[in-house]
Amino acid sequence: MFEHESFDQHERVVHVHDAASGLRAIIAIHSTALGPAGGGCRLWTYNDSAEALKDALRLSRGMSCKNALAGLKMGGGKAVILGPVPDDRRRDVFEAFGDAVNDLCGAYVTAEDVGVSVNDMQVVASYTDFVSGLSGAGGAGGDPSPFTARGVRLAMEAVASRSLGASSLEGLKVAVQGVGGVGGNLCRELGERGATLVVADINTSRVEAVCDTYGAERADVDTVLLSDVDIVAPCALGGALTEETVSKLRAKAVVGGANNQLATLKAGEILFDRQIAYAPDYLVNAGGIIMVAAEYFRTNASDRVHADVEKIYDRTLNVLDRSNESQTPTNIIADAMAYDIIGKARREDAEHRSERRVVG
Ligand code: NAD
């Protein structure tokens, strides 16, 4: 673990196995310096458990950075459940997962991610209070993906104004890879603002729905990111921006909802060298966790959540400007800003360790 290429001072990585339900999960807690480690639960069929571990390590680190830059009192964590989970075991699996989250006594707070629904989180909630993204929570709550999509659209507007010289998204052409919760809602946000859409998803019925509703053009899943468009929006799984892909991009900007879009740091450098504006993934896709945190901490007045999501616009401008001034790729700028906040919180936390001493 400590030599793993994706290990980054993670505080705790828990492997969970429940024989009765068949649950196999990994819960990675990257940091609790700013508060409980917040981050969704992904259900995915990985090629092997090594791939699942790498995903959990990378995603949890990204959550620490995301929550820090969003100004949340949350650290970063992530859970992955290794699929497939048969339909008739699904409830049992999420019950066992809720039990495992509860065993962490609040160090990790879960919510929805890829492959996990509000219904699944309702099941989790019958075993733990350390869960968010529940229905009927009042001002905020339920599926976080519309909030995430809203934040991505705001970041896209910031990039359009700063890097493309466009005062709005009207008339811009955007290619969206993956039209699930985030990508589908992003298509709605963009369609309502007069953008032209090119879409692809391995789930063809989702593509049909977006094409029917917004007059989007279909693209091939393997080449959608290479479309001749103004902006590409990776909204499926991570690693879409490989060095080869970014070398061939025809778009002028990348602004998407997926986590861990850059396959390597070098891919970020290539984007910068090619003068393709890249809005760092965890900066722009924080809308969902902003909602999840508001629900969890019960500060969930919807107008306040919307105001907090709106801040993604200015934060994106700030990172683009810093990148321009220092001639440094945006992903490096965002990492430095996030680690500054997390490092300071970690040092303060260490200083207060003696207060947690148990005298007995
Ligand atoms: P989702 O499961 O609702 O949608 C993902 C979509 O991507 C699905 O329709 C799937 O068929 C499609 N897909 C998978 N592989 C693909 C491929 N190779 N090419 C094209 N399409 C493909 O998940 P989601 O909640 O929309 O999350 C999408 C991404 O956004 C993930 O990376 C997730 O971690 C990230 N994210 C989600 C949220 C949220 O609020 N849900 C918040 C922040 C980040």
Side-chain angles (χ1 to χ4, degrees), residues 42 44 59 63 66 78 112-116 143-149 176-184 200-203 206 221-222 224 234-238 256-260 281 285-289:
R42 173 173 292 190
W44 193 251
L59 287 166
M63 288 309 302
K66 184 184 308 194
K78 201 85 181 187
E112 297 86 350
D113 191 59
V114 175
V116 175
D143 178 10
S145 62
F147 295 83
T148 305
V176 183
Q177 179 197 45
V179 286
V182 176
D201 195 301
I202 50 176
N203 181 329
R206 287 185 171 166
V221 285
D222 295 324
V224 60
C235 294
L237 296 186
N259 284 308
N260 293 334
D281 44 20
N285 69 12
I289 194 75

Side-chain angles (χ1 to χ4, degrees), residues 8-258:
D8 175 53
Q9 301 185 25
H10 289 72
E11 290 176 14
R12 215 188 300 189
V13 181
V14 182
H15 288 68
V16 183
H17 179 246
D18 178 66
S21 64
L23 168 72
R24 291 186 306 149
I26 300 171
I27 303 174
I29 297 177
H30 178 261
S31 167
T32 54
L34 287 164
C41 168
R42 173 173 292 190
L43 168 53
W44 193 251
T45 301
Y46 294 93
N47 289 319
D48 53 33
S49 53
E51 194 185 36
L53 174 63
K54 184 176 174 184
D55 211 22
L57 291 174
R58 289 189 47 151
L59 287 166
S60 57
R61 171 204 171 270
M63 288 309 302
S64 281
C65 295
K66 184 184 308 194
N67 297 344
L69 285 193
L72 301 176
K73 294 280 170 238
M74 271 191 160
K78 201 85 181 187
V80 299
I81 295 179
L82 286 74
V85 172
D87 286 348
D88 61 351
R89 304 295 286 277
R90 194 169 180 107
R91 189 177 181 88
D92 295 342
V93 161
F94 278 96
E95 285 181 352
F97 175 69
D99 219 6
V101 170
N102 204 50
D103 283 347
L104 294 171
C105 302
Y108 168 64
V109 177
T110 197
E112 297 86 350
D113 191 59
V114 175
V116 175
S117 68
V118 175
N119 279 346
D120 297 324
M121 283 301 132
Q122 295 296 142
V123 174
V124 170
S126 50
Y127 282 80
T128 185
D129 288 335
F130 307 121
V131 55
S132 199
L134 304 174
S135 59
D143 178 10
S145 62
F147 295 83
T148 305
R150 185 179 162 85
V152 175
R153 185 264 298 167
L154 286 156
M156 219 177 254
E157 288 173 338
V159 169
S161 94
R162 205 50 119 236
S163 306
L164 309 185
S167 57
S168 76
L169 298 174
E170 191 167 2
L172 291 184
K173 202 166 179 181
V174 183
V176 183
Q177 179 197 45
V179 286
V182 176
N185 278 296
L186 179 63
C187 288
R188 174 182 49 73
E189 294 266 349
L190 300 179
E192 285 168 1
R193 284 160 185 82
T196 309
L197 298 170
V198 178
V199 297
D201 195 301
I202 50 176
N203 181 329
T204 49
S205 60
R206 287 185 171 166
V207 172
E208 297 294 323
V210 174
C211 290
D212 289 351
T213 315
Y214 304 109
E217 191 186 309
R218 283 175 193 74
D220 191 87
V221 285
D222 295 324
T223 53
V224 60
L225 293 180
L226 304 181
S227 306
D228 187 9
V229 293
D230 298 293
I231 304 173
V232 291
C235 294
L237 296 186
L241 302 174
T242 62
E243 292 168 27
E244 192 188 345
T245 299
V246 296
S247 302
K248 292 188 196 156
L249 281 188
R250 291 198 276 174
K252 300 179 216 67
V254 181
V255 190

Side-chain angles (χ1 to χ4, degrees), residues 71 178 312 317 332:
I312 290 174
L317 289 183
I332 302 290

